[in-house]
Amino acid sequence: MKKWASLMLTCMLAIGLAAGCSGKNETKEETAGGAETKGAEKKTEAADGVTKFSISLRTLNFGYVEKSPDINADKWVKKLEELTKTDLDIRLVPHKEYEQKMAQMFATNEIPDVVQGQGGTTGKEMAGSVEAGVFMPLDDLLKQYGPHLLEKIPKEAWNRMTYQGKIYGIPEWLGNPSRRATWIRKDLLEKTGLPVPKTVDDYLNVLRAFKKLGVENPYMGRQDFKYADTFFGSYDVFPYLSQFEEVDGKVQPKFLDEDNMMKALSTYKTMFDEGLINKEFATINPTTFKNTILAGKAGIWSMNANELIQWQTQMKESVPEAQLEIIPSPVGPDGKGGYYLYGDVARSYFINAKYEHPEKIIQFFDWMVSDEAEAFFTFGTEGENYTKDGDKINYKQPTDAQAVDEERYRQAFLWLVQDTTYNKGSLSLTEEGRNLMSVFDNTLANEGRDGIEFDPRLEGLKKNPDITPLSDTPPPVLITHMVKMVYGQEPIENWPKVIEEWKSKGGNDVLKEANERYQSKQGVFLPRK
């Protein structure tokens, strides 16, 4: 009780007395950890057998979702409810404010019946709720009501959902953790007469050639280097939570590799000085990033590979001649490159400990891995969106941007539990889809940077947000110096001093704790490649 009360106080101090997520029906209950929980409905099943429950879902920056006037009235949500005999109360959590809104939700006790996390049981967004007993263990429920979940979801993903020997969440998993990719305007590359670049120097030469062609953003940058971290991968210095490495028998974050970090920063400074990256890249938000690319004003950038077909379709509306292609990422001194590898879990689902009929929710998620679910999420409704000729599926994939966005919503947002690497059923129908699967299986499978990861998170990283990296952005104390160095406002040779600043603000405690846990093998996940 004291631990949970302390957590609530911390969250309240951090975010004030703002209102939390709202829903259709609220009651006030006591959780297993002793905290009062509003939102867990006492009456969960109507006389007609329909199971009612509320669920929080991150908007994921999906245009279809964020533009929806009422997601609960959406036709695909209604069809999902019909197929699963449920009455869903979906509570959207804004993508841009995800961690803040999650903390707010726990602080105000506006906790729905099912909470979506971003992977793992002890992530920052979960605010210590699993440890505090807000959610129920699922082992026995899964054995009885979720046999298909246990059969289809890999052991590695279940391991990520385990806390103190018990499973607390249902994972959406990744069969291939190499997900981000380097994209290029192939039509522009052909105009330069240059081959597909391989090394960092090759890439810089292509960017220079793009500039000569008049491309406004030869390399498309973005705020906090998010989806603009290509060259940190070349030098294996991603400053993220999952990127620890062993050096001389001890573990440390990869950004402590001074020489390679300075080489990576020097690459970005060269790009900045030569006008190969937008001078305002440090303030470019996700919407501007995407709109600039789709307007045909960029040559090379980073994005999740599974977006390729949708972006190609959308770009054709403004730049008909554009040809997008995913190419191998630039390799560094060790002959390797690529982006950080995602965890085994992309999203996860936790059931409120006070929900009366959790077996119904387990059955709902168990249906998600059925053949019926795969057909629905992939193709839509038979007779309306597709027809069948024996075992053959006749499905016309959308071509206009709005319809593509709707299909992506159904396949990627609403399908809560699946191998989210790519949609095999849809991609296998077309040549471009089969080519994209080949990119995953051949290009991306052979690149990517992994590291030593700690789960539960290191306590030292929880104490000072200024030194704490997120899954794909550096900690604030590093970002400030990194941007200044690229802009020429601070010497790159000062990087050792930046490391000392990180250490002085709590980094030394992080290093001590990391090495103690590494030696005792407590919550340590080793690199996969």
Side-chain angles (χ1 to χ4, degrees), residues 34-58:
E36 290 181 345
T37 302
K38 292 188 290 184
E41 298 174 6
K42 189 67 176 177
K43 190 174 182 180
T44 59
E45 189 170 12
D48 58 3
V50 174
T51 301
K52 298 181 179 181
F53 65 91
S54 54
I55 179 171
S56 62
L57 298 176
R58 187 176 186 175

Side-chain angles (χ1 to χ4, degrees), residues 415-432:
W415 194 357
L416 304 179
V417 178
Q418 60 169 313
D419 180 351
T420 193
T421 303
Y422 55 71
N423 189 299
K424 183 177 181 180
S426 177
L427 294 181
S428 62
L429 296 178
T430 65
E431 182 179 359
E432 62 181 358

Side-chain angles (χ1 to χ4, degrees), residues 220 288-298 301 311 315:
M220 189 61 204
T288 302
F289 176 81
K290 182 175 181 178
N291 289 343
T292 301
I293 292 170
L294 294 183
K297 298 179 180 180
W301 63 92
W311 283 41
M315 182 175 282

Side-chain angles (χ1 to χ4, degrees), residues 10 18-20 35 61 67 71-72 92 96 116 125 153 200 219 228 232 249 256 307 357 369 421-422 438 491 526:
T10 300
N61 206 29
K67 294 175 184 177
I71 197 67
N72 286 299
L92 297 176
K96 297 177 183 178
Q116 180 192 73
E125 83 285 357
I153 297 176
V200 172
Y219 180 87
F232 293 117
L256 265 64
E307 302 277 354
H357 290 290
V369 296
T421 303
Y422 55 71
S438 178
L526 298 176

Side-chain angles (χ1 to χ4, degrees), residues 184-189 210 296 298-299 301 315 319 322-324:
I184 194 169
R185 280 280 302 277
K186 186 64 179 299
D187 56 305
L188 296 178
L189 180 65
F210 282 173
W301 63 92
M315 182 175 282
V319 191
Q323 297 178 17
L324 303 186

Side-chain angles (χ1 to χ4, degrees), residues 13-229:
L13 288 173
I15 63 173
L17 297 174
C21 302
S22 62
K24 294 178 182 177
N25 301 299
E26 295 181 350
T27 62
K28 200 171 186 179
E29 303 280 349
E30 284 284 328
T31 68
E36 290 181 345
T37 302
K38 292 188 290 184
E41 298 174 6
K42 189 67 176 177
K43 190 174 182 180
T44 59
E45 189 170 12
D48 58 3
V50 174
T51 301
K52 298 181 179 181
F53 65 91
S54 54
I55 179 171
S56 62
L57 298 176
R58 187 176 186 175
T59 63
L60 298 174
N61 206 29
F62 277 36
Y64 185 94
V65 177
E66 296 183 343
K67 294 175 184 177
S68 173
D70 181 2
I71 197 67
N72 286 299
D74 175 70
K75 66 178 182 179
W76 294 112
V77 172
K78 291 299 182 184
K79 185 61 179 179
L80 174 60
E81 292 176 330
E82 176 187 331
L83 291 170
T84 58
K85 294 185 178 180
T86 57
D87 181 4
L88 304 177
D89 174 12
I90 298 175
R91 305 177 184 185
L92 297 176
V93 183
H95 182 71
K96 297 177 183 178
E97 306 170 278
Y98 177 61
E99 289 190 354
Q100 175 190 345
K101 292 297 184 182
M102 288 287 283
Q104 179 176 303
M105 179 180 73
F106 289 115
T108 58
N109 274 344
E110 301 280 350
I111 305 172
D113 302 314
V114 178
V115 171
Q116 180 192 73
Q118 62 182 9
T121 61
T122 60
K124 184 178 180 181
E125 83 285 357
M126 297 304 293
S129 55
V130 173
E131 298 96 313
V134 174
F135 302 106
M136 64 180 69
L138 305 178
D139 303 75
D140 293 338
L141 288 164
L142 287 166
K143 290 176 183 177
Q144 187 169 358
Y145 301 103
H148 301 102
L149 291 169
L150 292 175
E151 177 185 352
K152 291 201 172 184
I153 297 176
K155 179 181 178 182
E156 292 77 12
W158 287 118
N159 288 342
R160 292 281 181 164
M161 304 314 304
T162 300
Y163 174 71
Q164 293 187 343
K166 293 185 179 295
I167 295 172
Y168 278 87
I170 299 169
E172 177 186 37
W173 73 99
L174 272 173
N176 180 355
S178 184
R179 186 172 183 173
R180 293 193 180 181
T182 302
W183 299 33
I184 194 169
R185 280 280 302 277
K186 186 64 179 299
D187 56 305
L188 296 178
L189 180 65
E190 290 175 350
K191 287 183 179 180
T192 69
L194 295 172
V196 173
K198 296 181 180 179
T199 66
V200 172
D201 286 340
D202 291 343
Y203 266 78
L204 290 175
N205 286 332
V206 168
L207 295 176
R208 291 173 180 126
F210 282 173
K211 183 181 179 182
K212 289 181 180 179
L213 288 178
V215 179
E216 188 173 324
N217 301 276
Y219 180 87
M220 189 61 204
R222 182 170 153 182
Q223 185 177 6
D224 295 339
F225 293 97
K226 189 180 178 78
Y227 286 101
D229 51 2

Side-chain angles (χ1 to χ4, degrees), residues 262-273:
M262 289 189 289
K263 289 176 182 177
L265 289 169
S266 295
T267 301
Y268 283 97
K269 188 175 188 306
T270 295
M271 292 160 60
F272 182 84
D273 291 344

Side-chain angles (χ1 to χ4, degrees), residues 353-367:
K354 281 298 177 178
Y355 189 78
E356 189 175 10
H357 290 290
E359 73 279 1
K360 298 294 184 179
I361 294 177
I362 295 294
Q363 290 171 336
F364 169 80
F365 284 114
D366 196 62
W367 176 84

